Amino acid sequence: MNALMEAVRAGRTAEVVYVLGGMPDAERRACLPELRALRKELRAAPWEGTARRVHPALHAAGAACHTGAAAAASWIAASDMRWSPASPKVLLRVLEGRDNGWLADVANRLAQRPATADVPYELVCGLVHRSGCDVPATDAYVRGWVGHIAATRRGDSVMERLRGEPDLVPLVAALFELGDLRGIGWMFGEGPGSWQAALAELTRAGTLDRRTMVDACVARLLRGGGPSDHRVFLPLLVRLELTPDEQRARAADWTALARDAVSPVASHAQSVLAALALDGELTPRQLAEASEGVLFRGEKKLVRAQLVLLGKALSRDPSAAAELLPVAAQAFGHEDSQLQERALKLVERHAGRLDTTTARDEIARHAEQLSPALRGRASGALGIAEIRRAPAVYEEVLPPVPAPVRLAPVPESAVELAEETGALLASDGDVGAFERALDGLVRHAYRDRDALLEALEPVIERRWWDTVAAEHRYHTESYFGARQGFPDARYGLDLLLVTLRGKVSTATLHTAARHGAADCPCVHSALSRPFEARLREVAHRLRADPLPLLLSTPTWSTGAIEPDELVERLGTYGRLGARVSGADFAQALLRVRRTDRAAPAAARAAALGTPEGTRLARWLASPDPALPSYRREASGARILLEVGEILVFQEDFPPAFQRLGRPVTSSGERRYCSHWSQDLHRHWPAVLPERRELVAARLVHDLSRAATDDTRGPAATLSLLAESGGEAGESVHLCLAYGLGARHAEDRLAAVDALLVLAARGQLDPARLGADLGQLVRRGAVKPVRLAESARSAAATGANATIWSILRHALPVLLADLATSGPAGALPARGLGDLLAVAADCAERTGACDPVPHLDRIAARRGSSRLIGEARRLRGALVTEAAA
């Protein structure tokens, strides 16, 4: 072993630098095979003390011994070198003596690496300055520069560091071209010490060209980008304090920003346009072009401000009425009826100044979008015959009924199965793909275990448990054998792979299969225990007595099994003389469908002459157990369910499955548990795919927290419940009600999807759902604003009649307290006006005439609040249609 390798293996980095200083290139290249071998050796246990001590010396030595620029850059930026790298100062030291062209090549190659490679900025910057090459304007380099400047030292500031930056101009130019500011946007800060303040001051001082800076800011805002962009570039543009001439020269840019940019940027552009318009710097045509885009935006504040601006412009220049009023009339189609009325008032105030029939006709066309009451006012303002909307027969549009997808057969090739397994471990696959992979692993292990292991080798070698050193094997043994619940579904796949690999002892697998996880008294354990017990039993059988196939593999994507297919699988077991797994068979019973074909399948099962065949025949011949009794319990603002027991699930089932038949209580069970993974939750509907009410009963608490505690993700299971089998009763509808009022938009959208699926399948009970929503809003568990957004999203798909049928049962509960609280009235819940607006829109579109109790008393009140205005609109729509 030469002196360099001795120093590297000892982890003496300073000695490595010294030894390298006197080595010619030929000797350095000769050390590369030993350095590579050491690198491979350290990969087996990268986090051990020895590896952490040796890595910096190895990193520096490899960088110096590679005489090719590409190879040196690849070694420096290698992912395994990030565990414990050499410092940039050391790397720059060992690279001394290389010619400038070589250093520039390495610098550019490192700068081209993605930001996730974590190449130190100080290293690349040092190479750039030593080689004298141009600054590489890559995302990674600019991000590194931003972080370097932001890391101010004591007594230092962003301004001082920027002022001392020798490459300030090209780097600032590259900053505006940065692809995305995610991860570094917070570094720019706010206030006097921020980047924006410093760049603006440097611009005023002439260090940066003003026109270039202004053009770059505007161009970046026009380009758009991530959510951090406007928080950086808009404050910079404001601090540059554009002059009236600079603002006027960019009128077209302000128009484009007001029409299409994110709200903060659009608001700023709108204020600039307003100042120009009121100063007479915009022509009516330019103001009309800007207004056309703004009035179609969804932000009420922007639309309201634009209507105010149009009113001021018309007061200043009445002759512009023919050009501006038709544009203002475009707001007649806005979803907010108050904005419609505001636009109508503007038309009423200035309609007398219209001197052309063309403008009146255009306004009249827009007025067809108004409600009947407002259309009458528009007719009077324009002095024309009553405006009537073209009659149309309403047709409800619901999504196609989702058809279950039959699972594809298990791949015949072990290589193909390994690819699918690797994809599942790398991402969150659906339930069908997971079950198919499980069955594939079992089948191929039974046929040819060695061939399966060979095919799985590329998958297994990337798993953390396969890289654990032999002396630390007890970590793997403990992790997969501990009496703990599964953290996610991928744990189950890992359990089978680690068993096939032989990393866990048979005794550990047997103990885990026999006893399972420690009993958790949470409401989810009834669903999690069967899932876990089946996989633990399969893992043990892979080692002790391999199964030829899984009985419980679903036929359909919902998790259901066709009875004929289950009988055929049991027949295969009989022919092979294989012993059935108790947990696997129990799960198969819970998944099998009792359809019209169940009777012939029951006869075939009985003819098998096996205990499992007899049990299956008896199960298929017996009727579905009736739904248990329900009782509602209040828990603060929430409504929870107590569900009775089902005895049939507690008879002749393994202990892990018996809890499915036990009662569900609203108290007395631990609610906050380890079952937090949404990846795991989506497997639960497949435990009871034909009895979704029992699954929903155990998810009510989770869904309630999505509305009351702002948790994210629980509603993802709603679409699976909607596509499952069995009755959609009280539990499903209560879960759906909470989902429609969830805090996060993705949860509300999932609930809307589930609602539409249930409606398309004819399984939605609008009266039950509406009553639940009314009570939850009344108690404060669901906010009307969130419910209104969900209802509006569903109605926008064409399901107006469905939404009206729900809201007409929810609104009476909400209006009752207001209507009976005396002349002053109770304080309405925030957003109730929005809910009435959705109801009014649905009623107008569908021609509904169903009476809504207490609506008349609210509509008869004095005032112009959103609540009263929308109540009047809804009453008018119902009365008009009833009269028609």
Side-chain angles (χ1 to χ4, degrees):
M1 184 184 299
N2 58 38
L4 176 63
M5 290 307 302
E6 288 181 2
V8 170
R9 285 192 172 275
R12 298 192 292 267
T13 306
E15 185 177 337
V16 167
V17 175
Y18 175 77
V19 172
L20 286 169
M23 290 182 67
D25 284 352
E27 290 184 25
R28 293 187 179 191
R29 285 193 294 269
C31 294
L32 285 175
E34 290 184 78
L35 291 172
R36 294 190 184 108
L38 177 58
R39 178 183 180 183
K40 185 175 182 180
E41 179 184 328
L42 294 179
R43 283 176 180 166
W47 302 112
E48 290 189 354
T50 301
R52 289 197 299 270
R53 185 179 67 253
V54 172
H55 257 294
L58 176 64
H59 194 196
C65 291
H66 282 91
T67 55
S74 178
W75 180 280
I76 291 171
S79 59
D80 58 334
M81 291 299 174
R82 300 178 211 160
W83 294 330
S84 186
S87 69
K89 185 181 295 186
V90 169
L91 291 173
L92 289 172
R93 178 78 180 276
V94 299
L95 295 179
E96 286 179 348
R98 301 290 185 185
D99 64 77
N100 291 343
W102 190 92
L103 293 175
D105 193 1
V106 172
N108 280 282
R109 289 177 182 275
L110 292 176
Q112 293 292 337
R113 295 272 175 164
T116 53
D118 292 330
V119 178
Y121 166 77
E122 292 80 2
L123 171 62
V124 185
C125 179
L127 293 172
V128 168
H129 289 161
R130 291 187 181 191
S131 66
C133 67
D134 293 335
V135 173
T138 64
D139 276 15
Y141 190 77
V142 177
R143 282 173 169 270
W145 175 65
V146 170
H148 174 71
I149 295 295
T152 55
R153 296 179 291 271
R154 177 178 293 184
D156 206 351
S157 67
V158 170
M159 168 64 78
E160 292 169 348
R161 302 196 83 171
L162 287 175
R163 187 180 282 122
E165 173 58 61
D167 300 316
L168 180 65
V169 173
L171 284 170
V172 169
L175 177 63
F176 287 101
E177 299 299 325
L178 199 61
D180 193 351
L181 296 182
R182 280 182 299 184
I184 63 171
W186 63 273
M187 297 181 184
F188 289 86
E190 298 177 353
S194 65
W195 274 71
Q196 295 90 333
L199 291 175
E201 182 61 32
L202 291 171
T203 303
R204 282 190 288 272
T207 306
L208 297 171
D209 181 68
R210 179 176 180 82
R211 181 169 182 176
T212 300
M213 290 293 290
V214 173
D215 286 344
C217 273
V218 174
R220 181 60 187 240
L221 294 175
L222 283 169
R223 190 184 83 180
S228 299
D229 282 24
H230 70 272
R231 299 191 186 100
V232 174
F233 297 108
L234 179 58
L236 175 57
L237 182 63
V238 172
R239 285 184 175 273
L240 289 173
E241 298 176 348
L242 272 61
T243 65
D245 288 341
E246 289 174 324
Q247 292 178 341
R248 183 170 53 254
R250 294 169 176 82
D253 294 332
W254 307 127
T255 298
L257 290 172
R259 293 163 64 109
D260 301 319
V262 295
S263 290
V265 178
S267 180
H268 174 74
Q270 187 184 48
S271 66
V272 175
L273 288 171
L276 292 174
L278 297 179
D279 289 341
E281 300 292 346
L282 290 185
T283 66
R285 183 65 259 165
Q286 287 177 311
L287 179 56
E289 289 176 357
S291 301
E292 284 176 351
V294 175
L295 294 176
F296 277 111
R297 295 185 66 114
E299 301 94 329
K300 299 174 186 178
K301 182 179 179 181
L302 292 178
V303 176
R304 189 181 302 112
Q306 197 67 24
L307 290 173
V308 171
L309 173 59
L310 289 173
K312 291 179 178 179
L314 286 168
S315 298
R316 182 180 177 278
D317 182 11
S319 64
E323 198 146 21
L324 296 182
L325 280 185
V327 175
Q330 292 179 1
F332 291 169
H334 199 279
E335 63 182 21
D336 190 314
S337 61
Q338 286 187 318
L339 292 176
Q340 294 180 16
E341 188 167 8
R342 184 183 285 269
L344 178 57
K345 287 179 179 178
L346 183 62
V347 171
E348 289 175 327
R349 190 180 310 126
H350 299 281
R353 295 168 181 163
L354 294 173
D355 53 4
T356 64
T357 57
T358 303
R360 291 179 182 274
D361 291 344
E362 187 174 350
I363 295 173
R365 285 196 299 272
H366 289 304
E368 293 178 2
Q369 303 174 80
L370 295 169
S371 63
L374 294 182
R375 288 203 296 269
R377 285 174 53 184
S379 300
L382 297 173
I384 60 177
E386 183 178 354
I387 300 170
R388 293 184 178 275
R389 182 181 295 175
V393 177
Y394 175 76
E395 183 177 353
E396 182 82 344
V397 178
L398 292 172
V401 176
V405 178
R406 181 179 282 272
L407 266 62
V410 170
E412 289 295 329
S413 163
V415 174
E416 185 181 350
L417 173 64
E419 292 174 352
E420 293 187 5
T421 304
L424 272 174
L425 289 169
S427 62
D428 295 332
D430 58 26
V431 175
F434 179 85
E435 294 285 350
R436 185 166 173 261
L438 291 184
D439 192 28
L441 291 172
V442 169
R443 288 174 184 260
H444 281 276
Y446 184 81
R447 295 174 193 167
D448 191 340
R449 187 190 190 93
D450 293 337
L452 176 61
L453 276 171
E454 182 180 353
L456 287 171
E457 183 64 29
V459 177
I460 291 176
E461 68 181 6
R462 294 195 296 269
R463 307 307 294 167
W464 67 267
W465 44 262
D466 195 56
T467 59
V468 174
E471 59 268 26
H472 295 298
R473 178 175 168 176
Y474 70 88
H475 289 310
T476 306
E477 192 89 13
S478 173
Y479 182 73
F480 288 103
R483 296 191 62 195
Q484 63 177 3
F486 285 22
D488 53 38
R490 280 174 286 191
Y491 179 96
L493 280 178
D494 269 325
L495 176 61
L496 299 193
L497 295 180
V498 82
T499 301
L500 289 169
R501 186 68 152 182
K503 292 280 188 174
V504 178
S505 67
T506 304
T508 297
L509 293 171
H510 178 261
T511 302
R514 184 174 181 180
H515 299 290
D519 191 40
C520 178
C522 71
V523 72
H524 308 113
S525 62
L527 299 170
S528 63
R529 290 289 296 277
F531 180 81
E532 296 168 6
R534 179 172 63 114
L535 287 170
R536 289 200 179 278
E537 193 167 299
V538 167
H540 175 243
R541 291 289 299 273
L542 279 177
R543 179 70 57 77
D545 183 13
L547 301 168
L549 52 87
L550 287 182
L551 297 172
S552 59
T553 302
T555 306
W556 303 101
S557 55
T558 60
I561 301 176
E562 288 296 327
D564 291 336
E565 193 164 332
L566 181 54
V567 173
E568 184 178 341
R569 294 172 187 172
L570 282 175
T572 301
Y573 267 75
R575 289 192 299 274
L576 296 174
R579 181 169 59 89
V580 170
S581 164
D584 184 37
F585 181 57
Q587 180 61 88
L589 288 179
L590 296 177
R591 285 178 171 173
V592 70
R593 298 179 63 195
R594 295 176 178 178
T595 61
D596 295 339
R597 288 176 289 177
R604 290 178 53 209
L608 292 175
T610 62
E612 291 79 18
T614 303
R615 173 79 192 283
L616 175 59
R618 189 169 65 249
W619 181 262
L620 291 175
S622 62
D624 276 332
L627 288 177
S629 59
Y630 291 91
R631 188 165 67 89
R632 295 194 167 208
E633 286 288 329
S635 176
R638 291 176 288 198
I639 297 174
L640 301 178
L641 291 178
E642 293 200 343
V643 184
E645 64 180 350
I646 301 180
L647 294 178
V648 69
F649 291 152
Q650 302 180 54
E651 301 168 354
D652 298 330
F653 275 94
F657 290 77
Q658 291 178 4
R659 197 160 187 171
L660 289 168
R662 294 177 188 168
V664 178
T665 61
S666 60
S667 61
E669 289 185 325
R670 193 171 73 201
R671 299 290 178 175
Y672 300 94
C673 59
S674 61
H675 303 112
W676 52 267
S677 172
Q678 298 303 320
D679 172 52
L680 196 59
H681 290 189
R682 65 182 171 190
H683 290 265
W684 291 346
V687 173
L688 291 168
E690 296 297 298
R691 298 168 183 83
R692 57 183 163 193
E693 269 292 286
L694 301 183
V695 177
R698 290 168 171 83
L699 298 178
V700 168
H701 188 270
D702 292 317
L703 269 297
S704 72
R705 293 185 60 213
T708 59
D709 298 341
D710 297 349
T711 56
R712 186 189 297 270
T717 55
L718 285 176
S719 58
L720 299 176
L721 288 174
E723 295 175 16
S724 292
E727 181 179 340
E730 194 159 355
S731 298
V732 170
H733 282 79
L734 188 56
C735 285
L736 183 58
Y738 280 121
L740 293 171
R743 161 66 176 83
H744 297 286
E746 60 266 33
D747 284 315
R748 294 196 298 272
L749 288 175
V752 167
D753 288 342
L755 183 151
L756 296 175
V757 168
L758 287 173
R761 297 180 69 181
Q763 297 168 343
L764 183 70
D765 186 340
R768 169 179 277 167
L769 180 59
D772 284 346
L773 287 168
Q775 290 296 333
L776 292 176
V777 171
R778 186 171 180 269
R779 297 178 63 88
V782 167
K783 291 180 171 57
V785 173
R786 298 175 184 172
L787 176 56
E789 291 178 1
S790 296
R792 188 178 295 112
S793 298
T797 67
N800 292 279
T802 299
I803 298 305
W804 167 248
S805 66
I806 295 168
L807 293 182
R808 78 181 186 90
H809 290 98
L811 288 175
V813 181
L814 305 178
L815 299 178
D817 291 340
L818 296 176
T820 58
S821 58
L827 186 65
R830 181 178 174 270
L832 186 52
D834 294 329
L835 202 58
L836 280 169
V838 178
D841 191 54
C842 291
E844 289 171 354
R845 292 176 183 274
T846 60
C849 57
D850 313 274
V852 176
H854 312 296
L855 177 64
D856 289 344
R857 296 188 63 177
I858 304 301
R861 289 183 176 181
R862 295 180 179 179
S864 58
S865 67
R866 179 85 189 277
L867 174 67
I868 295 175
E870 296 297 347
R872 292 170 182 165
R873 178 187 167 204
L874 178 56
R875 180 183 63 175
L878 297 177
V879 170
T880 300
E881 297 300 337

